[in-house]
Each structure stands twice: as C-alpha cells, then as structure tokens.
Amino acid sequence: QFLYEMQSRYGVYPNTISYSSVISSCAKAGEVDEATKMFTEMLEADVQADVIIYSSLITACANAGNRQAAIDVFDAMLAGGLQPNQITYTAVLKACANDGYVSKAEMIFDQMEESGVVPDVVAFGTLLDAYAKAGDGF
C-alpha cells in the first residue's frame, strides 16, 4: 500500500531500495505471502532484484517452514545470474534443516564452498541442525 501511495500521491516510483525495505519488513513480520506478492510486483515493474531482496524472500520462506519455496527462489536467483552470499546460503540451509532435508542441505553447503563463500559458524550449525532433525549420525 505504501509503495502505491508514494507513486500516486507523489509521483515517486519504487526502486530496488524501496522494494527491498518492504519485502524485508514483510519477511520479518512473517508475512510471506505479502513478501512474495511484492517480489512479483517488483519484477513485473521491471525493477531488478538484488541478492539482498532474494535473501530476504528466502529467509521468509525458511522461517515459514516452506522449504520448497525457499529452494525455488534460490534457484531463480541463480538462474538470474546473481551470486549468493553468506546470508543467502545460510537461509537456504535453514530451509532444508527445518525438516531434515539433509541431501539438499549438503548439496547447498558444497555449492557454497565451491563458489568461494566460506562457511561460518552459523552455516556449520545449520548443517548440523539438518543432520539432527533427520536423525542421521555423524
């Protein structure tokens, strides 16, 4: 609503920064459907998504327990030629860990290392969480 008001009242058109703020806010508030809707509207308005926007949406999906949506957004990001960062990879790992999807978590973790992104303690902990939820021994 805020973006439309900016546009109609002030003639100010939303850009990557304004969409990023709204999508991130929706994600933090647990409003995954609204974040997804804003993301779709952003793309339809020919505003380019950046790694921050993708990471916010992936995090929202992961926090909502929607592993497949998080993976789909991650795959779309890769298909668009963007390089994931530490936050992006950890968000996808969390989505996989939430329901113990170990094989995909391992694949994402390997992809992270192969891309040159060094896993931090959070990424390692998230991978361990995937193993624990799946009941796999170490």
Side-chain angles (χ1 to χ4, degrees):
Q1 183 67 24
F2 174 73
L3 294 179
Y4 295 116
E5 190 171 315
M6 279 178 38
Q7 185 174 338
S8 63
R9 185 181 281 183
Y10 304 106
V12 176
Y13 290 88
N15 60 18
T16 302
I17 295 168
S18 54
Y19 274 111
S20 179
S21 295
V22 172
I23 290 169
S24 179
S25 295
C26 290
K28 288 176 184 172
E31 298 291 335
V32 180
D33 292 339
E34 189 63 28
T36 302
K37 177 182 167 193
M38 293 306 301
F39 182 79
T40 301
E41 289 178 16
M42 179 193 71
L43 296 179
E44 289 172 354
D46 284 333
V47 176
Q48 295 295 318
D50 61 12
V51 68
I52 296 167
I53 292 173
Y54 275 105
S55 296
S56 293
L57 191 54
I58 292 166
T59 299
C61 294
N63 288 341
N66 193 337
R67 169 180 42 91
Q68 192 54 55
I71 292 169
D72 290 346
V73 172
F74 180 73
D75 289 343
M77 179 181 153
L78 295 175
L82 289 174
Q83 174 63 39
N85 62 20
Q86 181 71 47
I87 294 166
T88 313
Y89 279 116
T90 302
V92 179
L93 284 171
K94 180 179 180 179
C96 295
N98 284 341
D99 61 357
Y101 191 24
V102 173
S103 62
K104 185 66 173 180
E106 289 175 330
M107 211 162 57
I108 296 294
F109 194 86
D110 289 344
Q111 184 177 352
M112 173 194 273
E113 291 182 309
E114 290 166 6
S115 73
V117 176
V118 179
D120 64 1
V121 69
V122 177
F124 279 109
T126 306
L127 182 61
L128 290 174
D129 190 41
Y131 287 121
K133 288 182 179 172
D136 289 351
F138 298 74

